[in-house]
Amino acid sequence: MLLGTVLVLLLLSGAPASAHAALRSTTPDDGSVAEQAPRSVTLTFTESVGLLDDSFRVFGPDQRRVHTDEATHADGRSDTARVRLPRKLAQGTYTVAWRVVSADSHPVSGAFSFSVGKRSATTTQIDTGPDEDPLTGGLYDAARYLAYLAAALLVGAAAFALLCRPANRSPLRGPLVTAWWTLLGSTVVLLLLRAPYEAGTGPAAAFDASALGRTLTSRPGLALLARLAVLLLTAAFLLWLAKRRERQEPPAVLAAGTALAAALALTWAAAEHASAGIQVPLAMTSSVLHLLATGVWLGGLVALLLTLRRSSGEELTEVVPRFSRIAFASVTVLVVTGVYQSWRGLGSVSALSGTSYGRLLLAKLVAVTVLVLAAGYSRRWTARIAASATATATTTAPAVAVRERVAQPVGAPPPPEATAKPETRDSGEPEHPEPPAPEPGDRDGIRRGLRRSVLIEVAVAAVVLLITTLLTTTLPGRAQAEAAQQAPAGALPPTTLITVPYDTGTGSVTGRGRVQITLDPARVGENGVQAVVYGSDKGLIVIPELRVTFTLTSRKVGPIDAELKNAGGYWSTNSVNLPLPGTWTMKTTVRVSDVDQVTVSKQVRIFS
């Protein structure tokens, strides 16, 4: 009853949006200058998001954190995040770092800036902290991968035992026990690491009682709790099944096993990409079928490999063809559901090569193709095993003697020679020679060949599951395109920050370094340019002259001199007029002495 309630809550809490939340707009706009201090900061996303205790961090012109209220949803809309600001804000530039959890359970983060009254003169970037803790992220991803491997092995080995019906199930006990404990352990680790994973903090935060309590009431937490409940039911089912001696289980047992496997797969579908996006019910159904087919095929390969090592040849002639048919059906389901999920995640053909999600999908397609080719090679060995069984059965079949009764006098001795005519079990056909049964050495060779090909399939399958794990943490191409299309037309593009390395060849501290140039707002019309020069020791340095010019070669415009002024520690101007959009060439001339200078060119995009 509890398990059913949790699964229903997971299904009902789905939101029709694009998998992985993407930022649609900000208020104030990124890079804008407000005459009066805003009372709040509001973010709007492409899908519903969950808020954290530390969803907003606002830094003032002095680079110190500004005290803010708790983050809330604006006007009750789940696709927004809002935080109220203090009544009095000093003039200058403020940086907002944000972090939320998208509907498909993945945390997303970013930062933007706005100014009050005027922009700050300094261009030093504020350290808003890492997007995620590397150790927490690594442990979380490792636990996710182990969970996928264990689930595939658990479902596949159980399906192999129930559907392929090997006479000796003892080789499957070890994989089933290992898979169950591994899935249980990885699920507990995911549950503990969920809070620090969302917040981007270290693994030590996993033992924070309040953070764990919030995890248990969140959508991902409910999915993990449901998985633990399904695992307990699965353990009871497997223990009961181990006591039975029947090779062919009744339909009720098969139905119970199927229901448990589907419930296990649903704990992934209800908290991953399928739970957010277009066609959510169809997508979740497709995801469950995809996960089940993956487990039956790939986990079944491991079970087959162990069976090949420990079972007799006579048993393999029944088990191997059964698994071959089941594997073919699983591959068919994988192809159909995989094509649908790829279309749903990509949105366009160009996203295959233009997005990280598409490139990972191509890598998975290549790996699956190799896997299918290896499976086709295994089917050839399966056919040879079936042919071996047929030849052996035909050769060892006993002949049936047919005696002709001949009339004899009473008491006469039997005829000196028998009149029996051998014939096969099939009546009436003329006698013909049968192919000889394969020698034991030939049968052993066939088993070794099949074992090697299945081992290759298992190795490639592990790579496929690894790529699948990476795909579930990558922003789908459809969501990325939707975020770009839905950006408000009046929003300013982000401030362009250009780093220009230079080297005059003098070898001094000032002779080599970098110039950090900020171009704001990097669009047609008046632009501000601020520049800071760093020496080879990464400290601020003072130089005699810094010159920046802009040239639009395609339209024969320029060079336009920015006419930078030394403002005491940095160079600045607010009156550079760039009349046309396009890719401009920015030339930076750094003079460090009366005779030593160098000019470096960089390409800069100016928006309309």
Side-chain angles (χ1 to χ4, degrees), residues 153-154 157 169-182 302 306 310:
L153 181 57
L154 182 63
R169 294 180 179 178
S170 59
L172 304 180
R173 292 175 184 170
L176 284 171
V177 172
T178 302
W180 190 89
W181 280 107
T182 302
V302 178
L306 295 174
R310 302 185 184 181

Side-chain angles (χ1 to χ4, degrees), residues 171-456:
L172 304 180
R173 292 175 184 170
L176 284 171
V177 172
T178 302
W180 190 89
W181 280 107
T182 302
L183 185 53
L184 179 69
S186 60
T187 302
V188 172
V189 170
L190 289 172
L191 196 59
L192 291 175
L193 289 179
R194 184 66 204 178
Y197 173 70
E198 289 180 348
T201 56
F207 302 100
D208 184 349
S210 60
L212 182 59
R214 288 189 299 273
T215 296
L216 295 178
T217 57
S218 66
R219 182 184 181 85
L222 288 174
L224 293 172
L225 286 176
R227 189 178 303 168
L228 291 175
V230 174
L231 281 175
L232 294 178
L233 294 177
T234 302
F237 175 76
L238 292 177
L239 289 174
W240 174 79
L241 195 64
K243 299 177 181 179
R244 296 173 59 85
R245 294 292 182 264
E246 293 81 357
R247 288 188 61 181
Q248 185 167 357
E249 301 292 347
V253 175
L254 298 178
T258 302
L260 287 173
L264 190 63
L266 186 59
T267 63
W268 270 278
E272 296 286 353
H273 288 164
S275 64
I278 60 174
Q279 305 171 354
V280 171
L282 180 59
M284 292 185 63
T285 303
S286 173
S287 180
V288 169
L289 292 175
H290 194 84
L291 290 170
L292 290 178
T294 300
V296 170
W297 182 25
L298 304 187
L301 286 174
V302 178
L304 176 62
L305 187 62
L306 295 174
T307 304
L308 286 172
R309 296 180 60 184
R310 302 185 184 181
S311 299
S312 63
E314 290 76 8
E315 182 183 354
L316 291 180
T317 58
E318 298 180 359
V319 172
V320 173
R322 287 174 189 158
F323 178 74
S324 181
R325 292 190 292 269
I326 294 170
F328 180 79
S330 299
V331 171
T332 302
V333 173
L334 283 173
V335 170
V336 174
T337 56
V339 169
Y340 168 74
Q341 292 182 20
S342 299
W343 166 82
R344 184 174 179 268
L346 285 172
S348 65
V349 177
S350 61
L352 269 175
S353 58
T355 63
S356 299
Y357 185 88
R359 288 187 288 271
L360 278 174
L361 198 59
L362 286 175
K364 182 179 179 180
L365 179 61
V366 171
V368 170
T369 301
V370 174
L371 189 58
V372 171
L373 292 176
Y377 188 68
S378 297
R379 285 180 65 87
R380 293 176 58 187
W381 289 107
T382 302
R384 294 186 64 180
I385 288 180
S388 171
T390 302
T392 302
T394 304
T395 305
T396 57
V400 179
V402 180
R403 298 183 177 273
E404 295 182 355
R405 298 182 59 86
V406 182
Q408 297 289 337
V410 178
E417 55 184 15
T419 58
K421 297 182 180 179
E423 67 175 16
T424 61
R425 292 181 182 269
D426 296 328
S427 60
E429 294 296 331
E431 184 179 1
H432 57 80
E434 297 291 345
E439 297 296 330
D442 294 339
R443 289 196 293 268
D444 291 342
I446 293 175
R447 292 178 64 181
R448 286 194 299 270
L450 179 58
R451 192 184 307 141
R452 284 193 297 268
S453 64
V454 171
L455 187 59
I456 293 174

